[in-house]
Amino acid sequence: MLEHSDHKTDSAFQISQACRHLLAQLNHSFHAGFGLLRRGSDNWKIIPVDVHGNISGSSSQLEPETANWLDQIDWSDLELPQIRPLGDQQAFVAACCLDDNGNLEMVGGRIVLNALELAASTAKLTVKQVQVSDQQLLIDQYAEKLSASYEELTYLRRLSKHVEYCVANRTLSEVAQTILPKLQDLLEVQALCLVEVQVDETSGLQSLGRISGCTGGLPSDLDYWCPLLDGLDSRNPQVKVRNFESPLHIADLPKRLGIRSIAIAPIHKNGSLYGWLLAANKRNDVRVTNDPRRPLMNSLGHDELGSMEASLLEATALMLGSQASNNQLYHELEQFIVEVIHTLVGVVEAKDAYTCGHSQRVALVARRLAEIMQLPANQCENIFLAGLLHDVGKIGVSDDVLLKPGQLSDAEFEQIKLHPVIGAELIKKLKPLAKLLPGVMHHHESMDGSGYPHGLKGEEIPMMARVLAVADAWDAMTSDRPYRPGMPIEKALSILKGGSGRQWDSQVLQAFFENVPAMQDVAEYWRTHLSGICSIPSSRPEKIPVQSFDLTPPIISTATANAI
């Protein structure tokens, strides 16, 4: 039960917009004078209100029976009006609403129970409810379209950010796998996949390659999709969309396809075709409303692919085309850099044929050592490339000094000590090789600061250079030269052990000593598979089993490795 009391004058009442609207609707429906209901100190009264919501006259007291009836009403359900028959085909109607502050407002009035008027009012109300329902349906549909457009814009924005930040060395399939799941949800398709093109390196002819990212209940083998790609002229640069009246069947396939709709977007850039994006079968299990009057809809129909799907597929294909082109350029540049490196190494080895193969062996050993030390993969590859180029500065050393078979004089050794600086000066002019400078410049530095060219010590020496220093010394000591045979393994290991912490990094040496057989395997691999490019003796020291090495400097060994 609610009790109402108000001690204000009638003119002081403030009528809310909701109350004005309710009064207008009741007056229009019943052609009667409805007003505000207020509970005074001793009785209920009704205050007349005009169409503008203003007090239009003096209030009047309600008869005691109606007042008592109002006192008994439970207004917990605001949507249900209350009706009290008064006799003589009359009734009192009371209704309520909430004002702007959430307080209860009540309105009421006396109506005449005329059957014809009631029928007319009921008919008008029914028609209006249908109109409101239809309008609500249109509002919901517009809201869905707005929501779908927002999702599309969000996806395209993320797609543009992906293009901006995507690393060029990521492959087409790697990038596709990160964006296709979201695109499949947005398109609401059963299957979405990337079909890549493979190019024959000899003939240059293109053919279908692998399929990646295929989802849904459809197969992911090429035999399934090839006829569809051929049948829809998939090599045309335009997006193709086909909707079939009945599921598509192709007789020469072992299984029926059951394709109802399909869209194909070519992935191309600057005249090069990299593959296709293929979407199949609009899903029919997605409904955002339970209204039976509303079928599942997209840009064309309940189970068809249309312009919206084609546009999103095309935008994604354009992004993938740019990524594929960047990836191709990246690998071409990478291949060019490798060729430049091998050319520079070839120039050095052409000048000093006696050391042919040294750079390759140092590179292989250094990379294997870096991998054992669990350095990052990109750092391992950079160490390998720096190993290939670590002696490139010998191009600037006099042949008389470089090719001298005997002991070098102090002046000659000063010339040799210039080759790291000369090498660094050469490669720093090639921007892609700048990351190799620490290894080329500092692979002859010593942990105690006695090395060259800058006398760095300890942690001042880059890790790349510390790894290369061990690999370089190992190969210099154990490889054969025309003027002397390679040093026995035991002696080379003893020298390395003696220089631990003084000439070479003890951490690097620890990894080396724990994997000496692996280091020998690298040299053996070079001798077996790569040594044909050089004319060098074929004999190598026998591999010996190595137990473990204590890095404590030996007492009697004072020999050092002068790897030049």
Side-chain angles (χ1 to χ4, degrees):
M1 299 293 179
L2 297 175
E3 292 189 2
H4 298 267
S5 61
D6 201 326
H7 303 291
K8 298 180 181 178
T9 63
D10 295 344
S11 59
F13 287 124
Q14 299 294 322
I15 303 174
S16 68
Q17 184 65 31
C19 189
R20 289 192 186 101
H21 182 69
L22 178 58
L23 284 168
Q25 290 294 325
L26 290 171
N27 285 326
H28 177 75
S29 297
F30 294 103
H31 303 286
F34 280 78
L36 286 172
L37 293 177
R38 287 290 184 270
R39 184 72 164 87
S41 60
D42 56 353
N43 203 351
W44 283 86
K45 59 183 177 180
I46 183 168
I47 304 170
V49 178
D50 61 20
V51 295
H52 301 293
N54 300 316
I55 305 298
S56 61
S58 300
S59 63
S60 59
Q61 298 287 335
L62 295 179
E63 61 272 19
E65 292 82 2
T66 302
N68 290 333
W69 171 74
L70 286 174
D71 284 334
Q72 301 301 316
I73 294 175
D74 181 4
W75 291 105
S76 58
D77 191 344
L78 301 180
E79 295 183 359
L80 294 178
Q82 304 294 322
I83 302 176
R84 178 178 182 266
L86 299 177
D88 297 329
Q89 294 185 333
Q90 294 188 33
F92 191 89
V93 176
C96 67
C97 63
L98 296 177
D99 65 12
D100 298 335
N101 296 320
N103 299 317
L104 192 69
E105 286 188 318
M106 287 185 289
V107 300
R110 186 186 297 266
I111 65 171
V112 177
L113 299 175
N114 183 292
L116 184 60
E117 289 184 357
L118 287 175
S121 296
T122 303
K124 290 179 181 178
L125 181 60
T126 302
V127 171
K128 189 167 186 178
Q129 286 177 337
V130 171
Q131 291 174 342
V132 170
S133 178
D134 289 342
Q135 290 174 352
Q136 185 62 46
L137 182 62
L138 289 174
I139 291 173
D140 289 345
Q141 289 177 339
Y142 286 135
E144 286 178 24
K145 290 184 178 180
L146 182 62
S147 177
S149 298
Y150 176 77
E151 289 185 10
E152 293 169 26
L153 290 174
T154 301
Y155 171 77
L156 293 174
R157 180 175 175 272
R158 290 177 179 174
L159 195 63
S160 65
K161 288 293 184 183
H162 196 87
V163 175
E164 182 178 355
Y165 296 110
C166 194
V167 181
N169 63 357
R170 295 188 67 190
T171 65
L172 186 59
S173 60
E174 289 174 342
V175 176
Q177 287 172 5
T178 63
I179 63 176
L180 292 190
K182 177 61 179 177
L183 180 59
Q184 184 189 10
D185 291 340
L186 193 58
L187 297 179
E188 296 177 359
V189 291
Q190 179 183 353
L192 181 64
C193 63
L194 166 69
V195 182
E196 293 186 72
V197 165
Q198 63 181 11
V199 180
D200 186 278
E201 295 183 359
T202 303
S203 63
L205 297 177
Q206 293 181 334
S207 60
L208 295 181
R210 63 176 178 171
I211 289 181
S212 59
C214 190
T215 56
L218 300 178
S220 59
D221 57 274
L222 284 175
D223 289 339
Y224 184 93
W225 299 106
C226 282
L228 291 173
L229 293 170
D230 293 337
L232 290 176
D233 188 20
S234 58
R235 296 181 186 274
N236 189 303
Q238 303 300 320
V239 179
K240 295 294 182 182
V241 178
R242 288 281 299 276
N243 294 289
F244 307 100
E245 294 182 0
S246 59
L248 177 65
H249 304 291
I250 297 180
D252 59 351
L253 289 181
K255 296 182 180 179
R256 293 184 173 183
L257 302 181
I259 298 297
R260 303 184 305 274
S261 52
I262 190 170
I264 296 179
I267 301 171
H268 58 88
K269 182 75 172 181
N270 299 328
S272 297
L273 179 67
Y274 300 100
W276 303 270
L277 274 183
L278 189 150
N281 289 353
K282 191 74 175 178
R283 295 206 313 263
N284 56 11
D285 59 347
V286 180
R287 185 184 292 276
V288 294
T289 177
N290 293 323
D291 193 333
R293 297 173 298 164
R294 300 174 62 195
L296 296 165
M297 296 294 290
N298 64 345
S299 55
L300 284 182
H302 69 284
D303 63 351
E304 295 183 342
L305 297 174
S307 58
M308 184 274 285
E309 292 82 5
S311 297
L312 287 175
L313 207 63
E314 182 179 31
T316 306
L318 288 174
M319 189 282 287
L320 291 176
S322 297
Q323 175 63 25
S325 178
N326 291 339
N327 182 256
Q328 182 180 23
L329 292 174
Y330 173 84
H331 285 295
E332 289 176 355
L333 176 61
E334 188 177 52
Q335 182 60 34
F336 172 74
I337 292 172
V338 171
E339 291 175 355
V340 167
I341 290 173
H342 283 290
T343 299
L344 291 173
V345 173
V347 170
V348 174
E349 295 187 343
K351 179 169 181 157
D352 184 7
Y354 297 148
T355 61
C356 185
H358 170 69
S359 296
Q360 289 92 338
R361 292 191 300 272
V362 170
L364 291 170
V365 169
R367 178 171 62 184
R368 185 71 187 97
L369 192 52
E371 291 170 348
I372 292 171
M373 296 174 65
Q374 298 183 343
L375 297 181
N378 63 331
Q379 191 172 352
C380 293
E381 289 307 308
N382 290 338
I383 286 174
F384 173 77
L385 296 177
L388 291 175
L389 289 174
H390 76 285
D391 276 344
V392 69
K394 290 182 178 179
I395 294 174
V397 178
S398 168
D399 288 354
D400 293 339
V401 175
L402 187 63
L403 303 179
K404 183 178 180 180
Q407 184 73 27
L408 297 176
S409 66
D410 291 343
E412 292 169 337
F413 188 62
E414 289 301 317
Q415 283 194 49
I416 288 291
K417 289 167 63 175
L418 293 175
H419 81 269
V421 178
I422 297 172
E425 288 294 325
L426 284 173
I427 67 170
K428 77 176 183 181
K429 297 175 183 178
L430 298 173
K431 189 174 180 179
L433 302 182
K435 57 190 176 184
L436 311 181
L437 283 172
V440 174
M441 175 72 83
H442 300 300
H443 66 280
H444 280 296
E445 301 286 359
S446 295
M447 296 299 289
D448 62 1
S450 62
Y452 62 87
H454 297 136
L456 302 182
K457 63 172 60 176
E459 296 296 322
E460 296 175 348
I461 306 171
M463 177 58 73
M464 175 184 290
R466 284 181 263 164
V467 173
L468 285 174
V470 173
D472 188 26
W474 170 258
D475 188 75
M477 289 187 288
T478 59
S479 60
D480 293 334
R481 302 288 177 89
Y483 51 86
R484 55 105 173 137
M487 189 180 295
I489 298 298
E490 296 90 337
K491 184 177 180 180
L493 292 174
S494 178
I495 292 175
L496 289 175
K497 179 184 176 182
S500 177
R502 180 176 56 80
Q503 185 169 353
W504 298 289
D505 187 324
S506 58
Q507 179 186 1
V508 178
L509 281 179
Q510 181 68 49
F512 183 91
F513 288 144
E514 291 175 355
N515 295 272
V516 171
M519 301 300 107
Q520 291 180 274
D521 285 340
V522 171
E524 182 68 20
Y525 174 84
W526 182 90
R527 186 175 69 85
T528 304
H529 297 89
L530 304 176
S531 61
I533 62 175
C534 300
S535 177
I536 59 176
S538 59
S539 60
R540 285 293 182 272
E542 293 294 327
K543 185 188 298 186
I544 62 171
V546 179
Q547 303 301 322
S548 60
F549 279 83
D550 177 13
L551 294 185
T552 305
I555 298 176
I556 59 173
S557 177
T558 57
T560 59
N562 183 20
I564 61 172

